[in-house]
Amino acid sequence: MSDEREVRDHALSRIYREGAWPEPSRQIDQAILAASRRSARDRHPLLWRWAPPFAVAATVVLTSAIVLKAYREQPETVAPGAMEYARAKQSAPEPKAEAKPAPPTAPAPAPQTVTTPQGFTSTMDAGEAARLERAQQDIGFKDVTPPVANQAPAKAAPAAKAPPALKKEEPARADALQPQRRADAPQTPAAGGMLSVFGAQTPTATPPAPTPPAATQASRAVGKPATPFTQNAPQAAPPAPAGAPPQGQAPPAVPAEALKSRPEPTQAVIPGVGTVAAQVETRSPQAWLDDIRKLVKEGKSEEAGQEIARFKKRYPDYALPEDLR
Amino acid sequence: MGSGPADEELMLAYGGGDAEAFETLYRRHRGPLYRFLLRQVGEAAAEELFQDVWMRVIDSRERYQPRGKFSSWVFAIAHNRLMDHYRTSGRAKFLAQEESEEALDSLPSGDLPPEALLDRKRSAERLLAALARLPEAQREAFLLQQEADLSVEEIGAAMGVSRETAKSRLRYALAKLREELSRP
């Protein structure tokens, strides 16, 4: 305290305070006070406390959204590992089998080469690829089970050249099937499009298997071909014959000789069904007759007559109804 | 400094978002801080330094810890800013200028002459003129004592020197000012 008294001169201090007392200008005061208020408002402790977790949460949400969007648009380029995982998950046995699960002996799907006849490779995601694969297995595209002994339904299918998809995915298999195709297989554009997938898979020369009932096999073969690329393909291929006539009426067995001489399907289109070739492969005799009746009702008697003639050739033993005779 | 909350409490309140606390704090110290700068660097530079010091106070409001008097902290900021100003303006000799104790003995001691106390207004003008002629370190020590009301210890802390050095600077400043005022 003595030091303080030694260096403090109260008389000098009084004289100093008699002098001018300049102060900062009002503009400086306003500028500084405005800055202080702005700082207190902008960086409020409550907001500042929640800013980091909020930023982290926003970053996670945005990143997830971007990744999901990019994955949906281009799954192959964004997450090939995720796609493989999805495939593995799809190929695993499902408790509720919407379609038949992939058999253990089925070949593993080639990654990123799933192709549709329409060329949707780049837009197909893992789920769609897995569904397509199951559908192909259902119709025998990739099935390893032996083919049926009865060759008639196989011949009924309009064999055509393998589509680009098949050539790309399994070139060796497509080449192996090439010489087995029938010489009289229809080469129409319609058959080479949707139905050609089935046609290319028709194993006409494969060894016979234990023979199920011929009628069942025939109806199976007739009922399946057009299903692979329809929306309800897996559901449309149950073990029971999809094309079997109602009330247990089995279609008459068709001799192989008769089928060999069967005319090729034409491109005549029946409304709501597709080409005649498709009808031949997909319809039961009863459905075929119903379509002929439609043609008659629509006044297309000439086409109806052609259809009746074709029907008679396909099913010579089938008794035509009275109204179509 | 007056009634009401202490400076340190106000600064803590401002750190918690209370803008009114800063306004109170500012009004308490704006005059002394401004004059402290004005007496040393002139009006133009003083305004710039004055704003800069307060902006540093605002920016450091969340880090402020009341380890000492708020005025010591603020004037320490002003001292550092003043040193930067001296360096940039080529007045760095301030840092090395100290005077010996022997030189202090040659200066007059004792009370001011009676005429200086009678005509205070004129004496104040002479005092400010003498203050302007003091070396920077002595003038700053005197201003810290008069404007910020800091003790010798606090003056040393604010200027970054020892207590003895601060005391020596103060003694020189007082002696020279007394000498100026004692002249007829």
Side-chain angles (χ1 to χ4, degrees), chain A residues 3-4 6-7 9 12-24 28-29 36 39 43 45, chain B residues 14 22 26 30 35 38-39 47 61 112 120 124 127 143 145-147 151-152 163 167 174 178 181:
Chain A
D3 286 344
E4 291 297 325
E6 189 180 343
V7 295
D9 189 328
L12 268 181
S13 296
R14 278 198 298 273
I15 293 173
Y16 177 77
R17 289 187 173 80
E18 289 294 324
W21 284 70
E23 292 191 337
I28 292 176
D29 289 346
S36 70
S39 176
R43 303 177 71 183
Chain B
Y14 177 57
F22 177 84
Y26 175 75
R30 59 189 277 277
R35 286 187 293 275
L38 178 70
R39 309 276 192 223
E47 288 187 350
R61 70 187 185 93
L112 289 171
R120 288 183 177 177
L127 179 64
L143 288 171
Q145 184 189 56
Q146 299 299 319
E147 295 291 352
S151 66
V152 175
R163 180 180 181 280
K167 180 182 173 185
L174 292 175
R178 281 191 205 106
L181 291 178

Side-chain angles (χ1 to χ4, degrees), chain B residues 148-164:
Chain B
D149 198 26
L150 297 184
S151 66
V152 175
E153 191 85 30
E154 291 163 345
I155 291 171
M159 296 181 71
V161 294
S162 66
R163 180 180 181 280
E164 292 305 317

Side-chain angles (χ1 to χ4, degrees), chain A:
Chain A
M1 290 302 291
S2 60
D3 286 344
E4 291 297 325
R5 279 197 298 271
E6 189 180 343
V7 295
R8 188 172 290 274
D9 189 328
H10 294 286
L12 268 181
S13 296
R14 278 198 298 273
I15 293 173
Y16 177 77
R17 289 187 173 80
E18 289 294 324
W21 284 70
E23 292 191 337
S25 64
R26 179 167 294 197
Q27 288 85 359
I28 292 176
D29 289 346
Q30 290 174 349
I32 291 171
L33 291 176
S36 70
R37 282 191 290 267
R38 197 165 47 244
S39 176
R41 186 177 57 246
D42 291 348
R43 303 177 71 183
H44 194 274
L46 188 62
L47 297 176
W48 192 243
R49 191 180 306 138
W50 288 103
F54 179 76
V56 169
T59 303
V60 168
V61 170
L62 282 174
T63 306
S64 303
I66 291 170
V67 167
L68 278 175
K69 188 174 188 306
Y71 175 74
R72 284 176 182 166
E73 289 177 353
Q74 289 184 331
E76 295 90 351
T77 58
V78 172
M83 187 162 178
E84 288 172 7
Y85 172 75
R87 283 167 181 260
K89 195 175 179 183
Q90 290 285 345
S91 62
E94 296 173 0
K96 181 182 177 183
E98 175 184 302
K100 280 189 271 185
T105 55
Q112 303 178 13
T113 55
V114 177
T115 313
T116 65
Q118 293 82 3
F120 289 156
T121 305
S122 60
T123 58
M124 184 184 296
D125 62 13
E128 290 170 341
R131 279 196 294 277
L132 173 61
E133 187 177 343
R134 283 200 302 271
Q136 289 171 346
Q137 288 167 355
D138 287 342
I139 65 170
F141 189 85
K142 291 186 174 182
D143 203 351
V144 295
T145 55
V148 296
N150 193 343
Q151 299 299 315
K155 288 184 179 181
K161 60 181 180 181
L166 179 63
K167 286 182 179 177
K168 187 175 179 181
E169 188 173 358
E170 295 181 355
R173 189 170 178 178
D175 292 340
L177 289 170
Q178 198 75 18
Q180 300 171 0
R181 290 187 189 122
R182 287 177 38 183
D184 60 345
Q187 300 295 324
T188 61
M194 301 284 277
L195 299 176
S196 60
V197 173
F198 180 78
Q201 289 298 311
T202 306
T204 55
T206 49
T211 57
T216 303
Q217 291 300 319
S219 59
R220 260 184 93 174
V222 168
K224 282 183 179 180
T227 60
F229 301 109
T230 58
Q231 195 171 0
N232 299 321
Q235 291 79 5
Q247 294 93 27
Q249 180 183 359
V254 181
E257 292 78 14
L259 288 169
K260 278 182 181 177
S261 61
R262 197 177 66 222
E264 296 175 7
T266 66
Q267 292 189 37
V269 176
I270 296 174
V273 177
T275 63
V276 172
Q279 291 179 7
V280 169
E281 297 304 322
T282 58
R283 288 175 301 178
S284 65
Q286 195 61 42
W288 195 345
L289 292 174
D290 291 341
D291 290 332
I292 293 172
R293 285 192 184 94
K294 285 182 185 174
L295 291 172
V296 172
K297 283 183 180 176
E298 292 170 3
K300 300 174 180 178
S301 55
E302 188 176 346
E303 289 181 20
Q306 290 175 357
E307 286 296 308
I308 290 172
R310 200 173 291 118
F311 183 86
K312 283 181 178 177
K313 285 184 179 179
R314 170 83 186 269
Y315 303 115
D317 298 334
Y318 198 97
L320 278 175
E322 285 289 335
D323 56 339
L324 294 178
R325 285 179 184 171

